[in-house]
Amino acid sequence: MSTHYYLSWFNDFFPEKLVHCLHEDIQDRKSLVLISADPSGYTGEQMNFDDVPEWTWLNQANIIFDEYHFIDYRMQQEDAQRFIQGASVIFLCGGDPVLQNDFLVDYELSKVIKNSNAVIVGASAGALNMAAKWLSLINTGDDVETSTIYDGIGFDHFAYESHSKRDYATFVQGYLFPLSEEIDVYAAEQESAIRVKDGKIEIMGPVYLISHSKIQKLVETL
């Protein structure tokens, strides 16, 4: 069973506790694969990894790999699947979760990722797509919001919510309550992380469990 990290968003760098956990869990550092959540956003031939916050976080944490691969629509599907199969760490990047979800479907990557023995990390949009389900809430004008429930890769049987500007005050208003009636929802503020290792869920930072329309703040265990 591989180890999974569901990250919210970090404005500067990983906290020391998270760095310690990642160093403990990421022993194999041959290949890092980053999966874009803006897969049509880059047009140049070369990827400048300095422009990728998720790469920067790992670099600042002194978690260095022999090879780096950034997967988006510029890469052939077969190559993308091959790099994922050989990855030490698969990092689903932040950005637009719907675009990333569509890309995972288009390139048939979800099953390849789920079958990997790599350490799996997702930030914001990437963490949403790691979960079993997630909710897309879109403001369509005149304060009318439409919600769509998406299926993620489903490493762990819970739904995840992480949008950088949302916090307890937003979560308690109840937009996640309908989803929480069918599956537990972990709702994360910024600067937080969930580690699932050998089926055990551990928490760092402000994370709330919403279950059957009841919300509780979880105790930090990392």
Side-chain angles (χ1 to χ4, degrees), residues 7 28 41 45 52 108 163 179 189:
L7 310 180
D28 176 2
E45 296 249 336
V52 182
E108 299 176 357
H163 279 87
L179 179 58
E189 292 188 17

Side-chain angles (χ1 to χ4, degrees), residues 3-7 14 22 26 33 58 89-93 118-123 126-127 130:
T3 302
H4 316 139
Y5 283 87
Y6 299 77
L7 310 180
F14 285 154
L22 289 166
I26 302 173
V33 169
L58 289 171
V89 174
I90 299 167
F91 202 136
L92 288 95
C93 296
V119 173
I120 313 293
V121 186
M130 282 172 59

